[in-house]
Amino acid sequence: MTRHAHSIALRLALLAALGAPLPTVAQEPPRFRYDAIDAPLQAGAVLLPTAPKSSTDREQWMRQNGSIGVRNISHPTLTPVLPAGPSTGAAVIVAPGGGFLGLAIDAEGWQVARWLANHGIAAFVLKYRVLPTPRDNAVWEAEFNRMIAGEKVSFANPKDTPPEALADGLAALAHVRANAAAYGVDPKRIGFMGFSAGGFLTRSIVAQGGAQMPAFAAPIYPDMAPMAVPADAPPMFVTIAADDFLLRGLDGFPLIDAYRNAGRPVEFHLLANGGHGFGLGRPGTAAEGWIEQFYRWLSSIGMLKASG
């Protein structure tokens, strides 16, 4: 995928993640509107050490189509969502998407984390730093609508994972591993899952994880372009819908081919339909129930052994 295609993909990923319908070739881009809201309670959120505590908190929250999102994140946090009942001992860091201009933290974060916790898997929602956007809500809304119409504005999607987001992801892994006993998880069974732009981040975590490499990785409707796969790359689970715009212009599935050519284990699900940004699954499409396949995959690679 070219750099220009990466930019278009991230722009559309932000649009989908924020709940707006994606335009077809014959349609005008949809208008984007959101309502500013107060920051919701994020019980137990841990401030990650990758940004100075003294830096100004510029975070802005919004509600779009009934789903909560956030932008202008300057203080990255990790919010644990732990099993109330029996634990498998496994843990997953969950990175929402949003084109690195915001985070769909409800649909691709909290909802996913609750599902995992309800199935005995400790989940940790990563609120990572994104690129700055205009503080004035009216300016942000107007410029965003111009951007999705193809105009140049004061901000733009990055070509790939920004270094700040990567640092936050690696810090999240380090935190959960260092506090595994307190969270009741096995430090050798901590994985990383990301949606859309969070899937871009997941790929970067695998490519550059080093000592913080996760035990498994799950990029969900991510960038499907090829990647440099390290020799110690963990097992990977990938799912994407056949009608996802991220597959446009690709010959085959280069990400999957790269993993296989490197001799690393990968499970790949090409769903018949579901579009982009389906979160836990869009009802009435093949995307519904995909996370149950992910759960079975975790079991098949030995990640769901009962703790204790």
Side-chain angles (χ1 to χ4, degrees), residues 4-18:
H4 177 64
H6 269 89
S7 178
I8 294 174
L10 282 169
R11 189 178 75 197
L12 291 171
L14 174 62
L15 182 60
L18 293 177

Side-chain angles (χ1 to χ4, degrees), residues 191-247:
F192 201 100
M193 167 186 280
F195 295 78
S196 194
F200 282 59
L201 173 55
T202 305
R203 288 173 44 120
S204 298
I205 290 285
V206 171
Q208 304 177 54
Q212 295 302 337
M213 187 72 76
F216 56 89
I220 309 301
Y221 41 88
D223 174 13
M224 294 294 289
M227 66 173 285
V229 181
D232 62 344
M236 179 178 280
F237 177 97
V238 182
T239 190
I240 192 168
D243 55 354
D244 192 312
F245 60 80
L246 287 175
L247 294 178

Side-chain angles (χ1 to χ4, degrees), residues 57 79-80 103 111 132-133 145 158 257 268 279:
D57 185 357
T79 300
L103 298 182
Q111 292 179 26
T133 51
N145 280 297
D257 293 340
F268 174 48

Side-chain angles (χ1 to χ4, degrees), residues 83-108:
S87 172
T88 63
V92 180
I93 294 166
V94 181
F100 296 113
L101 296 178
L103 298 182
I105 201 166
D106 183 8
E108 296 178 346

Side-chain angles (χ1 to χ4, degrees), residues 163-182:
E164 295 83 2
L166 177 58
D168 296 342
L170 294 174
L173 281 163
H175 172 81
V176 176
R177 193 166 284 126
N179 295 276

